[in-house]
Amino acid sequence: MNDTLIPERQASLAWSDALLLELDFMDDTHREFVDLLGAVETAGDDRLIDGFRALVDHTDEHFGGEDRWMAATQFAASNCHTTQHDVVMQVLREALKRGQAGDLALLRDLSRELGIWFTQHAQTMDAALALHLRQIGFDPATGIVRHPDALPEGEIHGCGGASCST
Ligand SMILES: [Fe+2]
Ligand SMILES: [Fe+2]
């Protein structure tokens, strides 16, 4: 068999300092996300569905955590960061269904797109959230805000950063 005819599957996204938010509990989750995405992208067809399902489950927890922290720290329920999470979860769940029905190519295409989306999301919305959580001294284990005086007066309707002000 000529190996050059079978290109090795490679992860399109590698962890790097460019993704660091300097908030351990978010960075740890994001490292896990990058690892799981890499596992999907390098999986053979026989492992693709299981890998993608693990990624979807992890992402559900990942987004759910960020959504809870936002809800607990004065973000409006309709804030655009949570809305973006909801849209991406819908796409991932639909893709998993279609993958289970046999459309593995869709899972491979979507996984590559997801890496591109994640980089942008982490560097904008998640970066703004990390800054907010650092400023208010938020402890995700207890929900305690150590610096409540740093919370804004009204609800936050955008994502809390200059990249997303509405
Ligand atoms: Fe995130
Ligand atoms: Fe996020």
Side-chain angles (χ1 to χ4, degrees), residues 52-144:
F52 196 82
R53 187 186 299 110
L55 177 66
V56 172
D57 289 346
H58 182 272
T59 303
D60 198 17
E61 284 282 310
H62 162 192
F63 290 176
E66 292 179 10
D67 292 345
R68 283 193 301 279
W69 305 333
M70 285 189 272
T73 61
Q74 226 131 301
F75 277 78
S78 60
N79 79 78
C80 64
H81 188 165
T82 294
T83 303
Q84 189 170 106
H85 287 164
D86 290 346
V87 170
V88 171
M89 278 312 302
Q90 262 181 347
V91 170
L92 294 182
R93 288 199 183 99
E94 180 60 29
L96 178 58
K97 266 193 226 159
R98 289 176 56 180
Q100 287 167 325
D103 193 350
L104 299 187
L106 173 79
L107 296 189
R108 294 203 184 280
D109 289 346
L110 182 65
S111 298
R112 212 167 24 251
E113 293 296 321
L114 189 61
I116 296 167
W117 171 84
F118 173 76
T119 299
Q120 206 259 345
H121 181 83
Q123 291 175 340
T124 55
M125 293 189 176
D126 285 351
L129 177 60
L131 178 63
H132 166 77
L133 295 176
R134 277 202 308 271
Q135 283 173 339
I136 64 172
F138 185 73
D139 179 350
T142 61
I144 289 173

Side-chain angles (χ1 to χ4, degrees), residues 135-158:
Q135 283 173 339
I136 64 172
F138 185 73
D139 179 350
T142 61
I144 289 173
V145 173
R146 287 195 302 277
H147 311 300
D149 47 310
L151 280 167
E153 299 229 333
E155 283 192 319
I156 302 168
H157 288 275

Side-chain angles (χ1 to χ4, degrees), residues 4-53:
T4 60
L5 294 176
I6 307 172
E8 200 175 320
R9 295 193 171 103
Q10 291 190 335
S12 61
L13 178 62
W15 180 260
S16 78
D17 286 355
L19 294 171
L20 267 181
L21 302 180
E22 293 174 21
L23 193 62
D24 288 351
F25 54 88
M26 289 185 76
D27 287 329
D28 290 347
T29 301
H30 286 176
R31 271 196 197 86
E32 291 166 3
F33 173 89
V34 170
D35 286 348
L36 285 166
L37 180 63
V40 168
E41 289 191 289
T42 56
D45 287 351
D46 57 330
R47 299 286 309 149
L48 186 58
I49 299 287
D50 285 348
F52 196 82
R53 187 186 299 110

